[in-house]
Amino acid sequence: MKNKNKAVWGGRFNNATSKIFEKIGASIDIDKRLYEEDILGSIVHTQMLTKQKIINRERGNKIISGLKKIRSEIRKNKFKFNKKYEDIHLNIEKRLFTIIGNDAGYLHIARSRNDQVITDFKLWIKKASKEIVKNLNNLIKNFLKKSAGNIHTIMPGFTHLKNAQPISFAHYLLAYVEMFKRDKQRFKNNIENLLENPLGVAALAGTTFNIDRNYTTKKLKFSHPTNNSIDTISDRDFVTDFLYAASVCSVHISRLAEEFIIWNSDAFGLIKLNDRIVTGSSIMPQKKNPDQLEFLRGKTGNAFGNLFSMLTILKGLPLSYFKDLQDDKELVFKSFDQTKYSILIFNDILKNFSVDKKRMFELANKGYTTATDLADYIVIELKVPFRKAYQITAKIVNYAEVKKKRFDELSIKEIKKIEPKLNEEVLKIFDLKNSIKSKKSYGGTSFENIKKMINKYKKELK
Amino acid sequence: MKNKNKAVWGGRFNNATSKIFEKIGASIDIDKRLYEEDILGSIVHTQMLTKQKIINRERGNKIISGLKKIRSEIRKNKFKFNKKYEDIHLNIEKRLFTIIGNDAGYLHIARSRNDQVITDFKLWIKKASKEIVKNLNNLIKNFLKKSAGNIHTIMPGFTHLKNAQPISFAHYLLAYVEMFKRDKQRFKNNIENLLENPLGVAALAGTTFNIDRNYTTKKLKFSHPTNNSIDTISDRDFVTDFLYAASVCSVHISRLAEEFIIWNSDAFGLIKLNDRIVTGSSIMPQKKNPDQLEFLRGKTGNAFGNLFSMLTILKGLPLSYFKDLQDDKELVFKSFDQTKYSILIFNDILKNFSVDKKRMFELANKGYTTATDLADYIVIELKVPFRKAYQITAKIVNYAEVKKKRFDELSIKEIKKIEPKLNEEVLKIFDLKNSIKSKKSYGGTSFENIKKMINKYKKELK
Amino acid sequence: MKNKNKAVWGGRFNNATSKIFEKIGASIDIDKRLYEEDILGSIVHTQMLTKQKIINRERGNKIISGLKKIRSEIRKNKFKFNKKYEDIHLNIEKRLFTIIGNDAGYLHIARSRNDQVITDFKLWIKKASKEIVKNLNNLIKNFLKKSAGNIHTIMPGFTHLKNAQPISFAHYLLAYVEMFKRDKQRFKNNIENLLENPLGVAALAGTTFNIDRNYTTKKLKFSHPTNNSIDTISDRDFVTDFLYAASVCSVHISRLAEEFIIWNSDAFGLIKLNDRIVTGSSIMPQKKNPDQLEFLRGKTGNAFGNLFSMLTILKGLPLSYFKDLQDDKELVFKSFDQTKYSILIFNDILKNFSVDKKRMFELANKGYTTATDLADYIVIELKVPFRKAYQITAKIVNYAEVKKKRFDELSIKEIKKIEPKLNEEVLKIFDLKNSIKSKKSYGGTSFENIKKMINKYKKELK
Amino acid sequence: MKNKNKAVWGGRFNNATSKIFEKIGASIDIDKRLYEEDILGSIVHTQMLTKQKIINRERGNKIISGLKKIRSEIRKNKFKFNKKYEDIHLNIEKRLFTIIGNDAGYLHIARSRNDQVITDFKLWIKKASKEIVKNLNNLIKNFLKKSAGNIHTIMPGFTHLKNAQPISFAHYLLAYVEMFKRDKQRFKNNIENLLENPLGVAALAGTTFNIDRNYTTKKLKFSHPTNNSIDTISDRDFVTDFLYAASVCSVHISRLAEEFIIWNSDAFGLIKLNDRIVTGSSIMPQKKNPDQLEFLRGKTGNAFGNLFSMLTILKGLPLSYFKDLQDDKELVFKSFDQTKYSILIFNDILKNFSVDKKRMFELANKGYTTATDLADYIVIELKVPFRKAYQITAKIVNYAEVKKKRFDELSIKEIKKIEPKLNEEVLKIFDLKNSIKSKKSYGGTSFENIKKMINKYKKELK
């Protein structure tokens, strides 16, 4: 027997592929995840070939029923994937030959693996992006629920992790709603990019067969065929777009995770995590560690790594196809899984933590968090420039600090020693609730604003 | 005099800032580039304060005329920036005090540097994004011009850098038009994100003053005020979005640069670069090096670096403001400059290279680039499955290779020895022009397709 | 009351861990690869506890024989790993309880998972680094072999991918020997860092038990115990060091892969790849694609991604242990596998490509590659400054270029028209062999140098 | 015919370089920082050429005195750098022609910019690495000083940012000494790599002139000449090595910065920063923000960005020189400045913060930090396995938690209810000082260990 090469291109080759590369280079372990899209694409391609009379109806039906059989085998876990056939496309093609014989050889008319794999992959990422959008909607709903229950929970708003101004805990949570809304928009923008149908550009130049790309476009729920066959083969923007969107989403999650880890420390003590979402130590019997939050925070590293891997692969790569690109799928699958699970875990966390409202309030009252309110008050009452009011306030803060008193422990007498024009009314300024109430400017933390905003978000979700 | 601290917050401090940090930590060298936006923002803020009767008209006018004077000084290079005042905001505020006295102290009512800087920065990035879109339009026009002149220039289409199928050079160039169109879309999507007005969220909680954010929104050409004051201060998505869009654009440029560098090698010789865009060697008198292309390719490294710097900074950062974020501006400025200059240099390159059409055609005729056409022909003529046709073609290729003949050097006799059912008509298949003409499927390389596509692109640009 | 929490810390908890996190957060699928190191560490720890009379000899022996049984089970693939027990350490501990009963509870005296996992991981990376060094030695040997067979193979040396000066192909290959030698050194430096024994620092503070860290250090073949318990738990420098060394090694491989891909193009045609290391196309019957080279080049993306993931995880992480760190193992395992396989594939490639010497020589003779030799010659013969000689040479190049002649096609008459002082002897300069021979400066490409250098490298390897 | 190209290679070119590239592509603004190294390299090169009689002594002296004049001009800020001459090498060469006339043309014999720039750059990085090592030594000294003053300062040791075990604050600080020691080692290993002299490999192939590379090696304080001319030109390992070492050092600094930012929060309150190292707010009069710590933490982003820029540039770059590599210098200069200034700022911080010892102790007593001590005690006293002791301890913790008592507030009666075999002696376990004292294992936090370790470190520094 002469030819040892079992690949579809075997006829051209004198030697089998090197064993080590057959093992390492095969992508089937990864890309088998595309089987639904691959078979759907092949069915639609066959339907088009039949419609265009490129193959006859009988043959077309035979191919389609063979493909459906394979799909059923895979779904039922009865399909045997084989590294020898490299990837999902060739595994399915080989099996099709076994099932329907040489008519399987008609399937690859007017198609290359190059356009086939991109079609599969775009369909997959579109599906995945939609799933993430759905999951983000769920997450937002949970944030809104938690917010609705915490409108009047007063916490210290931080800048530089120092107490800055009193805010509503709901207002803090709604900041994340804004972030996740942007994340959704990013995935939605990506979906727009995924509506171009690659099928039919063949290897890189188009095909001589009289194919109908509008037909496959419609059947595969794309919106229009791609304009340039070379770009179609070379383009992986849709891959980096996905990985980037996942990275930013991961950044948002990491920021909340970080802050909750800090708030969960014995020193802060602002939140309490249910046993379901903490983990113990193998040696320290008292420990309850926020492992899940740390897990979420750490995963950002992977999200970045995946994005950077793909960008590196693409940099300086000539057109059109190179094997370098093969890693795109593993990177996307990993980032997708991670994003999805991170959101699920976050939902879990939202349901399994409680707020120590008393401690929050107490901490919010430390650090002279109403100093800006005081300066604002002085501007209005004393009719001085803000910079002047700022200086008067700074003096009062410095005094209170030396005396180790909170603002609300100062007497009007002490205040008058620093600024005689102030009167008793000033003391109301030090009330945290008043402070929050007064932040009525659009986007501010006033309780009224928050209620309206929660309603607004709820309507948007409908 | 006791207090050595000259900062606006001086009244609260007992010591001056450490000298080394005053030098290193100051951002004025970088953020002075925001002066137009900063002054515009301050003017609009003052107008709003006046309209809302928070400050009286006279004072408002005084502040505005002071700000305009400062703007004029900076524009004329007569303003002295001072590291002691840290950043552009405080440099301008200090100068305003010098010009109009203590009334300057009214400017900072209901505003923090936190919302001020984000307002400036968003305005700046919006402007910058629009400029890049404009530059990309220009670049696309130049690509269309070059394409129009090369519709019938035949080149080898590559996969794996091996000759694959003959294509039109114009078709190759149009692949980049697709890429730059996606780049444009990415920057345009970003601009959507930049339409939310941050001004008025103050430090992080909103303000007690009765401000009108819709007024400033309109005046600053935003579309609506931001919804959540904490998110507004913390958010830098618009920064990473910009850096990401610049990175992808840079990847596209790097791919063309790489390919042109390869085509410019003595072995390929497909293109000739005018002396204006090559550089010599200090030691090798014959050298003409494509430095500009290499410069463009290398810059991708910086684009990625800037993106990952910013992502790293954001990862795990609690809300809301931290000094870590300060580096955002330098990163954006660098990526903007680089993107802009890269596009300009690319325009220059497009005007200063020529194609060696003869060499291109000759190379396109190597490597059996019409083998797929042959297989397609066999499918139709011999009514065999594609896989069968593929094998027949592979045999013919192998035969020709051994004989060291090109396809068009084979006689029909030789071909018949391999496949007797083929007749003389098959020889037409080996004509490169015929091959290109036959790729009429939408998005394919046929001359007709290309002409239509160029027109389509031109219309889009209008 | 029954407790549903089955973890070792179960006694402290009221609820079971959330299901989703039990599934996602478990690391056993990854870290089971540490089982040899984990069991060895536990055995040595037990021996030490026994020696120090912290547990009695009988119990010690019982534990050790249990551990050996487990090791044998795993080696024989008979061990059932369970996600419920999270990681390799707890899987083994759980099994030990099943085998020897409550005496298993003595094993964790004076030890935490924190020091346990770092001990395992350091032992593993040490082993892995040594394996890579060994593989690199093999690769270098293959490079030396290939070099020895190509000392007199003349190729164009490139700068900017333009023909620059003639060099020996062996000299080119030896450049990679230098790179891989530096890679070896990097891994060796890392091994130095891995000689500090973490075992015995317990959770983060050390232990109250009278342990002997010098004993375990010796038994585990470390060189000394770590100095600071907190740093020991927090430190992952040894992880990033490994990932960095793998990245640089990957860069080196990518450079050769890139260049071979270019040389394998139809235009260059400098090398020929055996069918064993190329792959065909599904649609283009003529194609033989250098997939393996592209695979190697693309993997650099992953190497960078892994490094960047880990750096991101570590950035800004407080001391000492956090779950974020858990991803360190997957990243290292992936980079190790990839580095190892890349080297193996490269060995395969070295054995399966041949050089087209005729084509190489022909190309080396294009592009006036002896121009620098000519300028040098003029400096000496005409006693003019190099800059002057450079200009004379440039004129000769320009003349030849216009006439479309190679240097060796110029007559002395033509040359004299440009520089009358030159005589026939100058024509010898244009001989590529002479050019190479003349580069006798240390490190230069002369055949003599190369022979000596190959011998030198061979001696170093012994 | 007049030639408009003013470059050294002008004679070969018909057109001037494009204006935009002349402006953007020039590197002189960056690489002028290499002037000392460049001139030193040129002087030594000239001395060698003279010694080897390649140029005569008189000319050699003329060149050297011209170079010294230029050096003096630059040092005195009297040199006019010109973008037209692209880089530092050509700026100096052009000036040399002006000063000494055409004899300047002899300087570039047997040398290319390719080896020239690498020589300069290696010399510079060697110098820079040594400076960083020196700065790190200083930093370590300051850590040792601070440690010596805080041996008996008791703080909570954290894992997962939860209180874990009591430790000495000095022990915490010494963890960073270990990190900075590894950083030093990394830079020192790099210096080893920088001892190979590139000068004399010329463009890429070596030179025909009879040069003496050992002479220049000695004069330039390298240890030996590089072995392979092609590798010498292509290699940038020494660049990424530097950028990587700076990245890891930056990670270490970021971890301390992060933790100090957390400790400086109003909730933690463990440290107090002097006014010299905090910054105020423009709107909130009470604020004192740890800007410097945040600055240090944020800079890690840049360090990573620089490393990844360079790795990206190198990935897949063929040998030998390409303009892409030009960015190496800016990246290194930036990472060097940042590392140096970060260390200086850190020294400043160490001198300007104080510890609130009372608060530290109080916090260390929260969270049952002696639970592990208790479990260890039970192992010994009750002769039970550790896992059993762990469970008993967990019960006591749970009890105390419900009763909202600290360990040291429990009575022996309460404890006996849970474990009757325990007696009054157990109460000593809850003393934090005893806990720390007991951690005598090597590397543990006991006061005795710390004292010894500080002495050990001090000796190492001498």
Side-chain angles (χ1 to χ4, degrees), chain C residues 133-150:
Chain C
V133 168
K134 213 180 103 195
N135 285 334
L136 283 170
N137 274 334
N138 248 328
L139 185 60
I140 290 173
K141 271 178 203 160
N142 282 324
F143 266 87
L144 293 180
K145 223 176 276 174
K146 199 84 187 175
S147 302
N150 282 287

Side-chain angles (χ1 to χ4, degrees), chain A residues 155-295:
Chain A
M155 67 171 267
F158 305 104
T159 61
H160 307 266
L161 211 63
K162 293 290 285 184
N163 292 0
Q165 299 187 314
I167 58 171
S168 154
F169 179 50
H171 195 54
Y172 173 86
L173 292 172
L174 293 180
Y176 284 94
V177 171
E178 285 291 314
M179 293 180 218
F180 294 129
K181 276 178 62 186
R182 283 193 300 273
D183 286 328
K184 270 172 55 181
Q185 191 56 50
R186 221 169 265 110
F187 282 105
K188 282 179 175 177
N189 286 343
N190 291 349
I191 290 171
E192 285 303 304
N193 236 351
L194 289 162
L195 291 178
E196 299 192 318
N197 178 17
L199 194 61
V201 304
L204 83 155
T207 178
T208 57
F209 289 98
N210 176 31
I211 61 173
D212 182 351
R213 295 186 66 202
N214 289 315
Y215 176 88
T216 57
T217 294
K218 210 172 155 185
K219 282 275 187 173
L220 293 170
K221 293 180 183 155
F222 287 109
S223 76
H224 52 282
T226 54
N227 286 326
N228 183 290
S229 55
I230 305 172
D231 173 60
T232 306
I233 299 307
S234 317
D235 170 35
R236 289 299 182 279
D237 284 13
F238 63 96
V239 174
T240 56
D241 284 349
F242 182 88
L243 297 173
Y244 171 68
S247 290
V248 178
C249 182
S250 186
V251 165
H252 294 154
I253 291 174
S254 80
R255 298 182 78 170
L256 188 47
E258 165 87 2
E259 202 144 14
F260 272 26
I261 291 166
I262 293 174
W263 294 0
N264 182 55
S265 65
D266 293 291
F268 268 84
L270 298 186
I271 56 173
K272 202 169 150 45
L273 306 178
N274 184 300
D275 281 2
R276 286 173 53 79
I277 57 164
V278 293
T279 317
S281 156
S282 70
I283 184 171
M284 296 177 284
Q286 90 276 22
K287 289 302 294 289
K288 295 196 175 182
N289 298 321
D291 269 24
Q292 305 206 12
L293 290 164
E294 297 162 17
F295 176 88

Side-chain angles (χ1 to χ4, degrees), chain B residues 159-160 162-164 258 264 266 281-282 284 286-287 289 291 294 308 312 366-368 372 387 390, chain C residues 159-160 162-164 258 264 266 281-282 284 286-287 289 291 294 308 315 366-368 372 387 390:
Chain B
T159 61
H160 307 266
K162 294 290 284 181
N163 291 0
E258 165 87 2
N264 182 55
D266 293 292
S281 155
S282 70
M284 295 177 286
Q286 89 278 21
K287 290 303 293 291
N289 298 320
D291 270 24
E294 297 162 17
F308 282 95
T312 302
K366 276 185 75 172
Y368 310 98
T372 310
R387 280 287 167 255
Y390 184 107
Chain C
T159 61
H160 308 266
K162 294 290 285 180
N163 291 0
E258 165 88 2
N264 182 56
D266 293 291
S281 156
S282 70
M284 295 177 286
Q286 89 278 20
K287 290 302 296 288
N289 298 320
D291 269 25
E294 296 161 18
F308 194 65
K315 183 243 162 182
K366 276 185 75 174
Y368 310 99
T372 310
R387 280 287 167 252
Y390 184 105

Side-chain angles (χ1 to χ4, degrees), chain A residues 158-165 258 261-269 272 280-291 294 297 308 311-315 317 324 359 363 366-372 375-376 386-387 389-391 393-394 397-398 401 407, chain D residues 158-165 258 261-268 272 280-291 294 297 308-309 311-315 317 324 359 363 366-372 375-376 386-387 389-391 393-394 397-398 401 407:
Chain A
F158 305 104
T159 61
H160 307 266
L161 211 63
K162 293 290 285 184
N163 292 0
Q165 299 187 314
E258 165 87 2
I261 291 166
I262 293 174
W263 294 0
N264 182 55
S265 65
D266 293 291
F268 268 84
K272 202 169 150 45
S281 156
S282 70
I283 184 171
M284 296 177 284
Q286 90 276 22
K287 289 302 294 289
K288 295 196 175 182
N289 298 321
D291 269 24
E294 297 162 17
R297 183 178 60 184
F308 195 65
L311 287 172
T312 301
I313 287 168
L314 288 169
K315 184 244 163 182
L317 200 68
D324 313 52
R359 169 69 182 145
L363 188 59
K366 274 185 76 172
Y368 309 98
T369 52
T370 50
T372 311
D376 288 352
F386 182 76
R387 280 288 168 255
Y390 184 106
Q391 281 162 21
T393 308
V397 171
N398 283 344
E401 209 174 41
F407 264 163
Chain D
F158 305 103
T159 63
H160 308 266
L161 211 63
K162 294 289 286 182
N163 291 358
Q165 298 187 314
E258 165 88 1
I261 290 165
I262 294 173
W263 294 1
N264 182 56
S265 66
D266 293 292
F268 268 84
K272 204 169 149 43
S281 155
S282 70
I283 184 171
M284 295 178 285
Q286 89 278 19
K287 290 303 293 290
K288 295 194 174 182
N289 298 320
D291 269 24
E294 296 162 18
R297 182 178 60 182
F308 282 96
S309 292
L311 287 171
T312 301
I313 288 168
L314 288 169
K315 182 243 166 183
L317 200 69
D324 314 52
R359 169 70 182 145
L363 187 59
K366 276 185 75 172
Y368 309 100
T369 53
T370 50
T372 311
D376 287 353
F386 182 76
R387 280 287 168 254
Y390 183 106
Q391 281 162 21
T393 308
V397 171
N398 283 343
E401 210 174 39
F407 265 164

Side-chain angles (χ1 to χ4, degrees), chain A residues 27-61:
Chain A
S27 62
I28 182 65
D29 287 349
I30 304 295
D31 59 25
K32 64 181 170 192
R33 204 161 161 178
L34 294 175
Y35 81 92
E36 286 280 359
E37 286 73 22
D38 193 67
I39 290 173
L40 177 66
S42 289
I43 289 173
V44 169
H45 181 65
T46 309
Q47 289 170 334
M48 184 277 292
L49 291 177
T50 310
K51 182 182 90 69
Q52 296 298 95
K53 303 196 164 37
I54 297 166
I55 60 176
N56 67 42
R57 187 155 305 274
E58 193 192 0
R59 230 170 235 140
N61 289 341

Side-chain angles (χ1 to χ4, degrees), chain A residues 33 129 145 198 226 248 290 361 376 417 430 435 450 456:
Chain A
R33 204 161 161 178
S129 301
K145 222 175 278 174
T226 54
V248 178
F361 185 86
D376 288 352
K417 258 192 265 175
F430 303 137
S435 168
I450 295 170
K456 191 185 159 197

